[in-house]
Structure formats: structure tokens, C-alpha cells
């Protein structure tokens, strides 16, 4: 089975992952291959195509396709992982490691709360004032961007998301009709919930390759300004800083979340424009190195391919060379000159091995990680001299 996933520009149309993972032994005759696409295919990535009223519609039920690790330029990372909760059988997401109750409303979704998945249709098939309409969501527009947020557009009663239904909110405490001394008819006609509040919760703008940041700025999606220009060749998230948004009363506007898009309006603008701290880029790992006992990292060794030469000794008696391939494997030799002081004759020791990881450092250098167990050919007498006992090697472009 082939399924699309947002990818960097260099991986558009290429395989960017698989289930079971590439390199992982699996007793199965079927597999799913994920191939890279840009913002023009956002509904193919995030929605199922259904027939409704005689016309095809897209239902947003694949937010789990956004799972992955994202890192900013400062090295801070976050991971979006499948939530333990789901809504109507639709897999949701959560930020890995968060210390919050794992309830349905604390999960990340692409739309506000509905009792039916058909309420998540990114087109205006119904009147714009109904909960079914996502006309204020970015995904319905033409910027290529989309919003991913928790809370599902519901206020808090105390520390619990409130939907009404068979409960009332009494001064910030959720109670049943009986506990509140009410009958259902009396509640429907007279009772007013009290203590409800809107709280700014996890909120991300998802920017696939091809999404237009310029259009978002023109639409005043960001209140602040920044000279920072994100790398448009990689998918990225813009994370909202919720500390800049105070709690607000929701007693008189239970459906009108100011901090998330609803059928009544757009989310309030980001206080901060995209910058080095709030832009998190997707980390692409087509091969799950952890699944086969390795390490997850950027495995692009192309910048290092070729022949490298160095001298371990100050007198020229020991010289090594190494030829690195694009997959991180290498071959080389160490020449030890033995006829001191002229150094005309000597012994050559050939070796081979494999770098398991290459890490990008904030200062522009790279760190190569070598698995010493992969070394072959080098003799014990020259192992120390050749430098092949080290685990990490710095590379300065």
C-alpha cells in the first residue's frame, strides 16, 4: 500500500518511511510505503475521501500522519506521537512526554469537537454558522498551511474540558443535574453555567513544503514581526507560546473559543512571528535505525564522501588515508615508515569500517560517530596510532 506523507523538497516522490519499518524484520506479506508530497496534497495526507449527498468530500481523520520528531535550530526537539485516546475511532496525536491527563480533549486534532467525524470536513458544504463548517480554519484556505491544536474548541470547567450534555458547571466545578439540584428541563430553560474559562492550549501551525508564509503574514496571522526566514524546503511546525495568552471567561460564549478556530471566527493572531525558537523542522528518517539496533540521526554523509589523509606522527613516520562512501562506510590504509631516519621503506596496514551516525552541531561543524566493532583489518599494533580507537570524530566544513 502506498500512502503520502509530508516531506522535504528533496524527498518529494521518494520513499520516506514504511510500516513495518525499513530494516525491521517482520513476519508479514504486506507493507505500507510512505512517499513524500508537498502542501498541494494536504487532503490526501490528512483526510479520507467519502461520498456524502452524492458528492465526494474529504473527512479529516488522519492527523496521525503528522506524527514524528521536530527540532528547532537551537537543538530543542518535540515529538508528536499517537494519543492513547481517539475521537469516534479517529486516531489523534499528543506531544510526547507532556505531564497532562491523557483525555480525549488534551489530544491534538485538526478541527473542533463534534460527535461525528463528518463534522471535520474542510469545505463549506453547509451554512457557515454551523459546527460543520471549517471556513475559518487554515486547511480550508489556499495558503497550504493547517492548524493542529488541543482542547478541540471546548472551555474548561475547573481543569476538565466541558461539553455540557448531562452535566453543568457550577462555579468551576462539573456536576450532574442531580448534584446541582436541577432537573433536565429546568436546566435547559433556566440554568446558566458559571466558572467556565478559555485557556490557550497546545497549538501548532503545520507548514508543509509549498505552504505560503507570505500569505499568512499578509492575512495578519502573526501580530509580531521577525526577520527570520524558515527553510521552505523542509516541513515545519510553528509553535504558539501560550504564556502570552491569559485565561478568559467562557460563561457567555461557550462556543466561541478565542484561541482556536471555530465556525464563529479565527484563532487570535500569534503574538510572535516565526523565529529560531518557535519553528520546528521535521526530522526525516526513512530507515528506523533504532528498530535495527542503531541510532536515529541525520544519515547524510554526502558532504564527507571522498579521500581524506592525515599524519598521526610529527616526524612523518605514520600517515593514514580514508575514503568515505555516501552510506558512511569507509576503507583506508595506514603506512608506517620503518627505516629511520630516512623513512623510505615501511609497512602498509589496510582497514575498513562504518560511521553509524553524523550529527549537525549548532556551530556548523559535524560530529561523526564510529562503531569501533565495525573496524576490520587494522592490526593491534597500529590501532592506537591510526586513530581508529576513537568513537567520535569532529568534522569542520
Amino acid at each position: 500500500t502506498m500512502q503520502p506523507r509530508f516531506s522535504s523538497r528533496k524527498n518529494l516522490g521518494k520513499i520516506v518511511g514504511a510500516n513495518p519499518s525499513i530494516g525491521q524484520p517482520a513476519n508479514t506479506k504486506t507493507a505500507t510505503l510512505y512517499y513524500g508530497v508537498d502542501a498541494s496534497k494536504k487532503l490526501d495526507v490528512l483526510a479520507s475521501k467519502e461520498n456524502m449527498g452524492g458528492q465526494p468530500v474529504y473527512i479529516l481523520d488522519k492527523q496521525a500522519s503528522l506524527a514524528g520528531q521536530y527540532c528547532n535550530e537551537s537543538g530543542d526537539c518535540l515529538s508528536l506521537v499517537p494519543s492513547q485516546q481517539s475521537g469516534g475511532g479517529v486516531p489523534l496525536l499528543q506531544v510526547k512526554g507532556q505531564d497532562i491527563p491523557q483525555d480525549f480533549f488534551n489530544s491534538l486534532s485538526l478541527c473542533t469537537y463534534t460527535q461525528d467525524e463528518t463534522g471535520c470536513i474542510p469545505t463549506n458544504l453547509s451554512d457557515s454558522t454551523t459546527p460543520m463548517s471549517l471556513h475559518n480554519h487554515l486547511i480550508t484556505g489556499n495558503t497550504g498551511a493547517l492548524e493542529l491544536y488541543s482542547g478541540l474548541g471546548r472551555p474548561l470547567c475547573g481543569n476538565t474540558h466541558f461539553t455540557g450534555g448531562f452535566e453543568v458547571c457550577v462555579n468551576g466545578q462539573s456536576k450532574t443535574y442531580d448534584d446541582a439540584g436541577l432537573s433536565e428541563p429546568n436546566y435547559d430553560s433556566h440554568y446558566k453555567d458559571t466558572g467556565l474559562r478559555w485557556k490557550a492550549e497546545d497549538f501548532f501551525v503545520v507548514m508543509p513544503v509549498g505552504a505560503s508564509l507570505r500569505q499568512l503574514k499578509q492575512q495578519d496571522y502573526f501580530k509580531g514581526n521577525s526577520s527570520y526566514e524558515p527553510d521552505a524546503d523542509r516541513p515545519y511546525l510553528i509553535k504558539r507560546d501560550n504564556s502570552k495568552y491569559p485565561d478568559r471567561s467562557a460563561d457567555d460564549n461557550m462556543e466561541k473559543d478565542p484561541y482556536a478556530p471555530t465556525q464563529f471566527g479565527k484563532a487570535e493572531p500569534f503574538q510572535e512571528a516565526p523565529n529560531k525558537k518557535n519553528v520546528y523542522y521535521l526530522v526525516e528518517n526513512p530507515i528506523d535505525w533504532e528498530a535495527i539496533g542503531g541510532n536515529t540521526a541525520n544519515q547524510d554523509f554526502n558532504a564527507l564522501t571522498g579521500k581524506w589523509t592525515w599524519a598521526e606522527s610529527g616526524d612523518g613516520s605514520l600517515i593514514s588515508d580514508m575514503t568515505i562512501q555516501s552510506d558512511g562506510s569507509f576503507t583506508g590504509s595506514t603506512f608506517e615508515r620503518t627505516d629511520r631516519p630516512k623513512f623510505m621503506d615501511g609497512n602498509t596496514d589496510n582497514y575498513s569500517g562504518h560511521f553509524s551516525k553524523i550529527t549537525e552541531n549548532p556551530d556548523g561543524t559535524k560530529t561523526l560517530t564510529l562503531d569501533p566493532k565495525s573496524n576490520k583489518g587494522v592490526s593491534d599494533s597500529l590501532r592506537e596510532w591510526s586513530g581508529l580507537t576513537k568513537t567520535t570524530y569532529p568534522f569542520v566544513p
Side-chain angles (χ1 to χ4, degrees):
T1 301
M2 303 287 287
Q3 291 186 13
R5 287 289 188 273
F6 293 135
S7 74
S8 58
R9 195 176 304 278
K10 68 179 181 180
N11 284 333
L12 296 180
K14 299 180 182 179
I15 300 301
V16 295
N19 184 20
S21 299
I22 298 173
Q24 182 179 22
N27 185 22
T28 179
K29 294 184 178 180
T30 62
T32 300
L33 297 179
Y34 304 115
Y35 61 95
V37 297
D38 60 14
S40 66
K41 302 293 184 182
K42 62 183 180 183
L43 294 183
D44 294 328
V45 174
L46 300 167
S48 295
K49 196 172 184 179
E50 305 287 347
N51 189 290
M52 182 180 293
Q55 61 178 317
V57 297
Y58 285 95
I59 298 176
L60 298 174
D61 58 0
K62 294 182 179 179
Q63 46 261 349
S65 298
L66 298 172
Q69 185 183 42
Y70 299 80
C71 298
N72 65 15
E73 290 189 7
S74 300
D76 180 46
C77 299
L78 61 88
S79 293
L80 302 184
V81 296
S83 172
Q84 298 175 5
Q85 308 291 325
S86 65
V90 176
L92 302 176
L93 289 171
Q94 69 185 61
V95 179
K96 183 179 181 180
Q98 276 194 337
D99 185 21
I100 56 174
Q102 293 306 311
D103 66 27
F104 167 61
F105 291 97
N106 280 324
S107 301
L108 295 165
S109 179
L110 297 167
C111 63
T112 52
Y113 173 71
T114 65
Q115 294 187 7
D116 191 306
E117 65 179 20
T118 57
C120 288
I121 300 176
T123 54
N124 299 334
L125 295 181
S126 56
D127 183 83
S128 63
T129 61
T130 67
M132 228 174 146
S133 176
L134 302 185
H135 68 288
N136 286 317
H137 286 64
L138 286 178
I139 196 167
T140 299
N142 60 1
T143 64
L146 55 126
E147 293 131 327
L148 183 70
Y149 54 96
S150 65
L152 282 85
R154 306 310 299 171
L156 292 168
C157 179
N159 293 318
T160 305
H161 291 93
F162 186 73
T163 60
F166 299 103
E167 294 186 336
V168 295
C169 188
V170 182
N171 296 324
Q173 291 186 333
S174 183
K175 297 184 177 182
T176 64
Y177 294 135
D178 291 339
D179 290 341
L182 299 169
S183 64
E184 187 169 345
N186 188 34
Y187 166 67
D188 289 340
S189 59
H190 300 291
Y191 186 77
K192 179 181 177 181
D193 295 299
T194 56
L196 291 172
R197 63 190 174 97
W198 292 114
K199 180 180 177 64
E201 303 185 62
D202 283 338
F203 195 104
F204 302 94
V205 176
V206 183
M207 299 289 289
V209 169
S212 176
L213 182 61
R214 178 182 59 82
Q215 283 184 262
L216 290 181
K217 290 181 177 180
Q218 289 176 346
Q219 296 172 9
D220 296 324
Y221 199 90
F222 307 100
K223 189 174 182 179
N225 296 312
S226 171
S227 60
Y228 178 73
E229 289 293 334
D231 183 356
D233 290 331
R234 290 186 287 168
Y236 60 89
L237 306 176
I238 309 172
K239 181 182 179 182
R240 185 174 69 187
D241 182 359
N242 290 323
S243 67
K244 300 182 180 295
Y245 301 84
D247 289 3
R248 294 183 182 176
S249 173
D251 289 346
D252 296 319
N253 59 342
M254 185 174 158
E255 304 296 331
K256 300 179 181 180
D257 186 351
Y259 300 136
T262 67
Q263 68 269 28
F264 301 106
K266 302 178 183 295
E268 285 198 0
F270 270 45
Q271 293 292 322
E272 294 183 326
N275 55 67
K276 287 186 177 182
K277 291 185 177 180
N278 66 7
V279 170
Y280 289 75
Y281 295 97
L282 175 65
V283 178
E284 290 185 288
N285 291 305
I287 297 178
D288 187 351
W289 296 99
E290 290 181 339
I292 55 177
N295 296 300
T296 299
N298 177 8
Q299 303 299 316
D300 185 5
F301 291 91
N302 288 321
L304 302 172
T305 57
K307 186 176 181 178
W308 303 85
T309 302
W310 67 95
E312 289 84 5
S313 61
D315 61 2
S317 62
L318 204 67
I319 296 179
S320 295
D321 65 67
M322 176 187 289
T323 300
I324 302 176
Q325 307 296 330
S326 59
D327 64 352
S329 63
F330 60 82
T331 57
S333 64
T334 295
F335 179 67
E336 182 185 22
R337 292 176 171 140
T338 56
D339 63 335
R340 293 176 176 84
K342 295 184 178 181
F343 301 135
M344 298 302 294
D345 297 322
N347 301 317
T348 299
D349 205 353
N350 297 315
Y351 58 83
S352 63
H354 194 277
F355 289 111
S356 60
K357 183 170 69 172
I358 180 170
T359 303
E360 303 278 353
N361 301 315
D363 61 358
T365 64
K366 303 175 189 289
T367 298
L368 293 165
T369 301
L370 171 67
D371 178 8
K373 295 180 181 179
S374 72
N375 291 339
K376 296 180 180 180
V378 63
S379 66
D380 291 338
S381 63
L382 290 181
R383 193 176 297 273
E384 285 287 347
W385 276 105
S386 66
L388 292 176
T389 57
K390 296 192 296 182
T391 301
T392 59
Y393 297 74
F395 173 72
V396 183

